[in-house]
Amino acid sequence: MRQIALDTETTGTSVEQGHRIIEIGGVEISNRRVTNKHYHQYLQPKRKIDAEAITVHGITDEFLQDKPNFIQVVNEFMDFINGAELIIHNAAFDVGFINQELKLLNQNWQSLEHYCQITDTLALARELHPGQKNNLD
């Protein structure tokens, strides 16, 4: 099975407050080996990035001014991940944002779970190390 380690960066922490994806990155893994296939894209979110978010990822509004919108890259992105197992730390966060971006397009995209299997490394870490801090550090 194709696996893709995936991460996103966003304008803030809440889909409900209209925050958007500003960066998507994925690295393909096949037979437990990283392949030469990857996906990386910065995105123009059409909204300001929260100051707290900038302290996390360092991406600024100015940097994103000339970047494409999600609608311009959705087909390429979905082609890259389709049929893969996505490996995501705190998957609910990233999947929630990706699903919201798909919904905002009004193009009859289904939820990400329809196209991919999703494995949450945070959930796995919590099972293996209950009560411990399970962040990426």
Side-chain angles (χ1 to χ4, degrees):
M1 169 179 255
R2 275 179 71 234
Q3 296 175 303
I4 296 173
L6 187 85
D7 192 28
T8 66
E9 297 299 343
T10 63
T11 61
T13 59
S14 174
V15 170
E16 292 78 20
Q17 293 178 0
H19 287 286
R20 306 285 302 270
I21 295 175
I22 57 174
E23 183 180 22
I24 301 175
V27 176
E28 183 184 68
I29 303 164
S30 181
N31 298 318
R32 299 183 181 258
R33 303 266 190 264
V34 175
T35 72
N36 64 350
K37 295 180 183 175
H38 64 277
Y39 181 87
H40 180 256
Q41 185 66 61
Y42 290 107
L43 299 166
Q44 168 50 250
K46 295 184 179 179
R47 69 159 289 151
K48 295 286 185 193
I49 303 170
D50 283 1
E52 297 83 18
I54 294 172
T55 64
V56 171
H57 50 59
I59 302 169
T60 64
D61 296 312
E62 296 75 28
F63 175 76
L64 297 174
Q65 284 180 345
D66 64 343
K67 304 304 184 258
N69 302 119
F70 188 72
I71 195 168
Q72 295 170 283
V73 302
V74 67
N75 290 323
E76 180 183 15
F77 172 66
M78 294 302 287
D79 285 346
F80 179 72
I81 64 170
N82 192 30
E85 173 190 10
L86 301 183
I87 301 170
I88 306 171
H89 194 75
N90 193 12
F93 180 85
D94 297 88
V95 171
F97 271 91
I98 294 169
N99 282 340
Q100 180 64 11
E101 293 288 349
L102 292 171
K103 182 179 176 183
L104 290 172
L105 297 177
N106 291 316
Q107 293 182 341
N108 297 317
W109 288 100
Q110 297 185 41
S111 67
L112 197 59
E113 297 87 336
H114 176 81
Y115 305 98
C116 306
Q117 176 185 336
I118 298 173
T119 298
D120 185 350
T121 59
L122 179 57
L124 293 173
R126 286 179 174 157
E127 284 180 32
L128 291 171
H129 308 286
Q132 294 183 26
K133 190 174 182 179
N134 291 300
N135 62 18
L136 290 174
D137 294 335

